[in-house]
Amino acid sequence: MADESRHQELETTEAPASAEPAASPPVPEAAEASGNRVLSALRGILLPALALLAAFAVGAIIIIVTDFDLLGQWGSDPIGAIGASWSSVMRTYGALLRGSIGDPGALFSALFSADWEALRRAFGPLSETIVSATPLILTGLSVALAFRVGLFNIGAEGQLYLGSLFAVIAGFTFVGMPWFIHLPIAVAAGFLGGAVWGFIPGLLKARTGAHEVIVTIMLNFVSYNLINWALKTEFVQREGRPDPISKIVEPSAVIPPLIDGLRAHWGIVIALLAAVGVWWLLFRSTKGFEFRAVGFNPRAARYAGMSISWATVLSMVTAGGLAGLAGAAVILGGSGTLSPGFSPGYGFDGIVVALVGATRPLGVVAAAFLFGALRAGATPMQAATGTPIDIVVVIQALVIMFIAAPALVRAIFRIRAERRMGSEVFAKGWGS
Amino acid sequence: MKLELRGITKRFPGVVANRDVDLIVQAGEIHALLGENGAGKSTLMNVLYGLYRPDDGEILIDDRVVAFDGPGDAIDAGIGMVHQHFMLVPVFTVTENVMLGVETTRGPLGQLDRRAARERIVEISERHGLHIDPDATVEDLPVGVRQRVEIIKTLYRQSNVLILDEPSAVLTPQETEDLFAVMRSLVATGTSIVFITHKLNEVLEVADRITVLRRGTVAGTTTPAEANREELAAMMVGRDVQLVVDRTPAQPGEPILEVRDLVVRDERGHNAVNHLDLTVRAGEILAIAGVQGNGQSELVEAITGLREPDAGDVLLAGQPLADTPRDVFEAGVAHVPEDRMEDGLIADFTVADNLVLNSYWQPPFASGLRLHGEAIVSNAETLVGEYDIRTPSIFNPVGNLSGGNQQKVIAAREFSRPIKLIVAAQPTRGLDVGSIEYIHRRIVAKRDEGAAVLIVSSELDEVVALGDRIAVMYRGRIVDTLSPEEATPERLGLLMGGAHPEDGEPVDLVGTAPAAGSEPSDG
């Protein structure tokens, strides 16, 4: 009893605000509560937004101090150097923006010119952002979903590869099908491939307690080599090619572009639908109720009659499937063929996307677009300003750092700490 | 040493934890600080110990004003605190633990002078009858002895005022008696003791004077001679409290829960429940008394499907009880778990979600995979009103509620459906008197509706207040079953300590013959 009483008393001394309203009469007003929800959602956005701002600010400093011409000017002409630094930073970030979203002027005039070619060119950067964001949304959802159940899915990369293998096989094996049958089959095959790769660590965890972090990391290696082997088999390898590359999928299994001539494809719609689906699963379904209960407090979940084993297996299967969808989307919406190492680490970036998105589906989508934009804008930025592409990686890392250290952002912007912030769910860390 | 707190006020954002509190502790007295959870006891003691700086008021020692910048200053001024959670290094010996922070050294290299420290510890131990082996490793010591090590630590630092924060919470009744003896010995030599508690009996037994805190202010100061339990409870809560709920004699009906020859092994493979039999009938409360760790938890887990029994039967209304928690739930068993935050609730879930924690999957809360949010909300609104759960909103995380309100959430969830049997383990642990009264009333009301009730409690007061029959559990067995009239604290205490029901000898646990009384009568 002592434990409890002490806990309670500490609660009152340390956070008296929370104890005080408990003494007021219970007036559960739905309107007020929903108002609070909107408010808390806004607060949830505030911190990541400020973290982004801080990351770009520090990024600007790095742009300045890594430019040796500028540094020289600081010595001879400090006043002029301020202006030069400012314009250098603006030029770099401007190029980044134009490379990821597009030139606002060109976008505007293209919209009114009704010239297809101008439109395509103006929307090119945005299209590239969408192409990068599509797999990141799906792998981010994969990691976020598992995390809600208290599992750390480091295996999204491997699940993505398995998904792409299954999708590409389904894509070239069935010939002569109409696209509205073939494409769903190929996409579903991608989900299945990832799901199988998620099922293995899920089952091992549920049955033997094997830690999913270890198992998923190891399965990543297995998946690379499995792909390498599969691409050399007669069944998968393209005829007449000595290198490991798959046959090309049938046109009926290709995810069509959103607009002809642009690379952005309908995979983004699949990803957004998946985000809605994950949101529904987590917050509107009985299974999601179980998932979250197990994630927060497995003992209480068991006491309440839930099966922890089932939740573990089911969530890992779903998480794997989502990562598999990412693989399917990249292959079927892109080159239409599979080769080793086609993923620049979408699965690992998914961990970051889930973290930055506070494991909320909407947050994951937003974070995926952010990282997609940074990725898409990096190369045009380097071409236009000569700023090394690495600055983008630095900014990505800074965003993560500021989001992972909310106390730091609060200190910089002098925000009063709120006790429960969504992003802090990650504070649980690596424990099972 | 005389200690005086004068007009202490401590504010936190949004709340005043202490308002104008006066407290005078005379040299050589045991001064009990009594109050409900959240009344401000700990805040006050943290002010005294230098952990908080008061917004207003002053601390006087022997009539001189002092100011503490941290616990170091308080310790230097002769104030020692024994925290509820011990601050000991388990792998160190008693001597090393006591020395830690005030090491005596000798020689040019500053070698630890263990011998000198050891001698002083032995001397302190003998003076106050603490019976401490200075060479024992702390992790090998029982809880009661560890607490005495903490007391020695403060005495070793020459404390004249000792603050004991809920010291009896972790102790058995016997250990508590030992502690009181030590406390009396200490005050006899001039030490003052501030004794923080919310247990009325202990206050009346050991305190010289009593100060009651309520909502951060002093509700009154009295002495055990002038006050009784009811008055103290009323001072704590601010209204009259029934310490023992009124109830009519039980009307036992059909046997509902029958446990036959049950064996349950614990993690180490020992028989935690050792061929136990018991019967609970409809409309009666069977209370199981016992020192914690005598198999009560394993018994409850076996009945509620959380742990697989190794032998024996559990029957509910004559039918074997299914073996998963969900089946047990569906069979009409309500379970109030021993540890509400670990097992009973999900702290991060809202009140509304916690109220459907074990029924979320069935109509009206769900159809198929789909949860019905409106049904969950309206269920919560009804129950929050019906069970007087004090929360700003049903969407508040349950972890932010007070312990009493958390237990009400569990009671609301478990009792608000047709049930045949209630299994409640330590149902009022850590709750203040007002909440205890409330929970007890709900349990008795369920009994009167015809439910069979099995209560497991290590609180003698609770066992006697609720039980229509009282079974004492010792080392996995029921050693005797008493009526409330027979169940005097002395008799229960002896049985809980393992004394044989008839002749006061320890029960023969090795023999195959069942101990007398292990078969409870059906009355």
Side-chain angles (χ1 to χ4, degrees), chain B residues 266-505:
Chain B
D266 61 17
E267 282 74 14
R268 290 164 299 167
H270 298 152
N271 284 3
V273 176
N274 197 3
H275 300 283
L276 179 142
D277 296 88
L278 64 81
T279 303
V280 191
R281 292 168 173 273
E284 73 159 358
I285 299 174
L286 176 67
I288 296 185
V291 178
Q292 275 213 284
N294 275 287
Q296 298 99 317
S297 306
E298 287 80 3
L299 172 65
V300 167
E301 286 175 2
I303 293 172
T304 54
L306 286 165
R307 192 186 283 265
E308 198 158 344
D310 291 276
D313 301 303
V314 177
L315 305 178
L316 184 76
Q319 300 295 315
L321 198 52
D323 51 15
T324 70
R326 177 152 298 168
D327 293 340
V328 171
F329 163 85
E330 284 192 273
V333 177
H335 178 195
V336 178
E338 187 175 326
D339 188 331
R340 62 179 156 270
M341 286 318 291
E342 281 289 320
D343 290 320
L345 296 169
I346 294 179
D348 301 85
F349 270 22
T350 63
V351 172
D353 283 350
N354 271 292
L355 283 168
V356 296
L357 199 60
N358 46 17
S359 55
Y360 67 93
W361 48 279
Q362 59 183 20
F365 304 122
S367 45
L369 265 182
R370 200 158 74 87
L371 281 177
H372 295 299
E374 332 78 56
I376 292 171
V377 166
S378 70
N379 170 67
E381 279 166 355
T382 311
L383 291 180
V384 160
E386 201 175 309
Y387 283 79
D388 190 29
I389 298 164
R390 306 279 173 92
T391 172
S393 146
I394 56 168
F395 301 112
N396 241 42
V398 87
N400 290 357
L401 269 53
S402 71
N405 281 301
Q406 287 172 350
Q407 197 71 334
K408 282 181 189 171
V409 171
I410 293 179
R413 182 180 73 210
E414 299 295 324
F415 297 175
S416 62
R417 59 192 174 96
I419 44 173
K420 297 195 187 89
L421 171 69
I422 293 174
V423 180
Q426 319 289 357
T428 59
R429 167 176 288 180
L431 301 189
D432 47 53
V433 284
S435 302
I436 292 174
E437 177 194 23
Y438 183 88
I439 297 289
H440 281 183
R441 270 200 206 161
R442 283 287 175 176
I443 290 173
V444 170
K446 273 307 198 190
R447 180 202 75 169
D448 293 343
E449 287 170 25
V453 182
L454 180 69
I455 302 272
V456 172
S457 178
S458 49
E459 294 286 333
L460 290 187
D461 287 344
E462 177 160 81
V463 165
V464 176
L466 282 181
D468 297 314
R469 289 186 295 131
I470 295 155
V472 180
M473 194 161 171
Y474 180 72
R475 297 211 183 159
R477 288 187 181 182
I478 305 271
V479 288
D480 204 359
T481 306
L482 308 174
S483 69
E485 295 73 37
E486 298 169 308
T488 59
E490 294 72 33
R491 195 154 169 204
L492 285 176
L494 279 174
L495 288 168
M496 284 163 72
H500 193 276
E502 265 75 49
D503 54 23
E505 288 297 308

Side-chain angles (χ1 to χ4, degrees), chain A residues 240-297:
Chain A
R241 288 288 290 261
D243 53 330
I245 190 161
S246 78
K247 294 173 178 133
I248 299 172
V249 299
E250 292 291 310
S252 54
V254 168
I255 301 177
L258 286 168
I259 299 168
D260 276 330
L262 288 182
R263 292 213 311 138
H265 52 82
W266 283 84
I268 187 67
V269 177
I270 296 175
L272 292 176
L273 286 177
V276 174
V278 168
W279 173 83
W280 186 87
L281 178 69
L282 276 176
F283 299 105
R284 289 290 181 274
S285 81
T286 55
K287 282 294 158 225
F289 192 87
E290 286 170 22
F291 284 0
R292 288 181 294 125
V294 170
F296 278 129
N297 185 346

Side-chain angles (χ1 to χ4, degrees), chain A residues 1-2 6 13 16 290 302-303, chain B residues 15 43 84 169 306 360 459:
Chain A
M1 71 180 54
R6 174 157 181 102
T13 49
E290 286 170 22
R302 196 168 104 78
Y303 153 86
Chain B
V15 73
T43 305
Q84 197 176 1
L306 286 165
Y360 67 93
E459 294 286 333

Side-chain angles (χ1 to χ4, degrees), chain B residues 16-69:
Chain B
V16 183
N18 291 138
R19 189 195 298 276
D20 201 20
V21 174
D22 296 321
L23 179 73
I24 300 174
V25 184
Q26 301 288 353
E29 86 171 359
I30 299 177
H31 197 117
L33 194 57
L34 188 66
E36 291 196 286
N37 299 325
K41 305 183 299 264
S42 288
T43 305
L44 190 66
M45 286 306 108
N46 285 335
V47 167
L48 176 58
Y49 199 54
L51 286 165
Y52 293 148
R53 189 184 277 276
D55 295 315
D56 212 347
E58 49 198 13
I59 303 169
L60 295 88
I61 290 179
D62 289 332
D63 298 321
R64 278 206 320 279
V65 177
V66 292
F68 297 149
D69 269 335

Side-chain angles (χ1 to χ4, degrees), chain A residues 303-325:
Chain A
Y303 153 86
M306 303 171 189
S307 164
I308 295 171
S309 303
W310 251 113
T312 304
V313 173
L314 207 59
S315 61
M316 280 307 289
V317 164
T318 317
L322 287 163
L325 274 186

Side-chain angles (χ1 to χ4, degrees), chain A residues 23-46:
Chain A
S24 63
V27 194
E29 277 190 39
E32 187 187 312
S34 70
N36 286 340
R37 277 178 169 182
V38 171
L39 205 71
S40 77
L42 277 178
R43 290 193 75 107
I45 295 169
L46 181 68

